[in-house]
Amino acid sequence: MLIKVQQNWTGISLESLFRERWKAPKKLVHEWRMNKEVKLNGHAAPWSTSLQQGDLLSIPLMDMADDEAVQATNLEIPILYEDEWLLVANKPAGIDTHPSQPGDRRSLLNGVAYHLQQTGQTCMIKHIHRLDQDTTGAVLFAKNRLIGSILDRMLEERAIKRTYLALVEGSLHKKQGDINAKIGRDRHHATRRRVSPTGQAAITHYRLLHHDPNRNLSLVSCTLETGRTHQIRVHFSHLNHPLAGDTLYGGKKIFPRQALHARKIEFTHPILEEKMVITAPFLDKPEIFDERL
């Protein structure tokens, strides 16, 4: 894969680009370095070489798809953004982010694999985060090992911001707030989580957008400092404002699923160094959220 050296990289060494700017996996960098697979302007260059804007950097990113691991299935998954490095898909309700058991071919990962197959791409595909089965919205995928490791680190360092929309029952007392409550497993239920003093740290920031007095529902925008399983669902249930439709956590069956949508994802592209803001349209029919939001 050819990469044009960005202006911001001018003057730094080839080694600094990989080890300091990208913080690429040491094992991967060592493999490329020993095999002299990284080339600058078509030639193997010393790793101390300073980069200049417009230089062409060649990286051996031929991470092939594993056909046995991810079977391609036509699920008509909307692709919100795509380039040679990564893509963002809009996950519908009713499917897992990745296969939950051997032979499962109806996950988001299978649907994205089909998209790659139909567009003649033979790269690997890896989800960077996940959504619950009945949560909709934006999910970020990497197309090779290098970008996968960089995005994993960015997620860990909270450099990838995800904004969710949720409809919760009742009227919230505060227009905005933070829910700081540890989350652990519910020993009485295999899949449910609960607020627990012995659980993992979990912080949800929320902002009230609108209250519908006719249905007694509140639309809230949420961002997370942590990514615990069912975090938004557990936290609002803990406040006695469960998500509409979320029967697992005490919500009324107003909708066929919990009213939760990963509306927006924001990050700086690791290679292009551009600010990415990707918004996921609502997918429900009949609609749960209003597209005018």
Side-chain angles (χ1 to χ4, degrees):
M1 179 178 288
L2 283 177
I3 306 170
K4 185 173 286 189
V5 171
Q6 306 289 316
Q7 181 179 1
N8 293 343
W9 306 347
T10 299
I12 67 173
S13 69
L14 194 56
E15 182 165 16
S16 294
L17 177 67
F18 281 91
R19 295 191 184 278
E20 297 172 18
R21 198 172 193 92
W22 288 344
K23 297 180 183 177
K26 292 180 181 178
K27 183 178 179 181
L28 186 61
V29 173
H30 178 75
E31 175 186 319
W32 288 344
R33 188 170 187 170
M34 291 299 99
N35 295 333
K36 296 183 178 181
E37 292 181 293
V38 176
K39 293 180 171 56
L40 194 61
N41 298 320
H43 305 284
W47 280 62
S48 58
T49 302
S50 293
L51 300 173
Q52 301 300 321
Q53 184 178 2
D55 282 348
L56 290 179
L57 183 63
S58 175
I59 304 176
L61 290 176
M62 294 299 291
D63 296 338
M64 305 299 286
D66 186 340
D67 293 333
E68 294 185 0
V70 183
Q71 296 295 316
T73 306
N74 184 9
L75 300 177
E76 299 182 349
I77 301 298
I79 304 301
L80 303 174
Y81 172 82
E82 182 177 16
D83 60 31
E84 57 192 330
W85 299 94
L86 53 87
L87 68 80
V88 179
N90 197 1
K91 178 188 170 300
I95 64 173
D96 291 318
T97 302
H98 59 89
S100 57
Q101 57 189 7
D104 181 5
R105 297 187 57 173
R106 293 195 57 79
S107 75
L108 181 63
L109 194 62
N110 298 105
V112 172
Y114 180 85
H115 163 77
L116 294 178
Q117 183 185 83
Q118 293 302 299
T119 51
Q121 301 179 69
T122 55
C123 59
M124 60 161 270
I125 193 70
K126 171 192 175 184
H127 62 88
I128 302 302
H129 57 99
R130 67 186 72 182
L131 295 176
D132 296 341
Q133 185 180 82
D134 283 331
T135 297
T136 56
V139 177
L140 177 61
F141 288 84
K143 289 186 175 182
N144 58 65
R145 289 180 294 167
L146 175 63
I147 202 73
S149 67
I150 295 174
L151 292 174
D152 281 341
R153 175 182 53 77
M154 289 175 62
L155 186 68
E156 186 176 333
E157 294 176 351
R158 301 172 189 165
I160 298 175
K161 180 183 178 182
R162 291 171 287 160
T163 302
Y164 296 80
L165 290 179
L167 279 169
V168 306
E169 294 183 6
S171 177
L172 297 172
H173 297 300
K174 296 193 297 182
K175 290 187 176 181
Q176 60 183 34
D178 307 315
I179 310 171
N180 188 345
K182 294 181 178 179
I183 293 176
R185 290 183 176 274
D186 187 334
R187 62 187 180 189
H188 302 295
H189 196 287
T191 58
R192 193 163 53 200
R193 301 296 193 272
R194 65 186 181 92
V195 167
S196 168
T198 59
Q200 294 178 298
I203 301 174
T204 301
H205 306 289
Y206 72 87
R207 181 166 55 93
L208 175 64
L209 301 178
H210 175 71
H211 175 66
D212 181 351
N214 295 323
R215 295 188 297 172
N216 195 24
L217 296 178
S218 295
L219 177 68
V220 293
S221 172
C222 305
T223 58
L224 310 179
E225 281 197 26
T226 50
R228 308 304 176 202
T229 300
H230 299 177
Q231 180 171 322
I232 294 173
R233 301 166 64 187
V234 173
H235 272 171
F236 278 98
S237 178
H238 179 64
L239 293 186
N240 295 316
H241 292 286
L243 271 61
D246 193 1
T247 56
L248 183 62
Y249 290 104
K252 297 183 181 68
K253 196 172 178 59
I254 302 171
F255 304 117
R257 68 175 186 92
Q258 69 265 8
L260 183 61
H261 179 70
R263 181 61 160 169
K264 187 166 59 176
I265 187 166
E266 302 172 70
F267 60 96
T268 298
H269 196 295
I271 308 301
L272 306 179
E273 298 196 354
E274 297 174 355
K275 177 67 176 178
M276 311 296 296
V277 181
I278 299 159
T279 301
F282 302 121
L283 297 171
D284 300 283
K285 294 181 181 179
E287 68 180 26
I288 291 176
F289 296 94
D290 188 335
E291 189 58 62
R292 292 172 295 179
L293 297 170

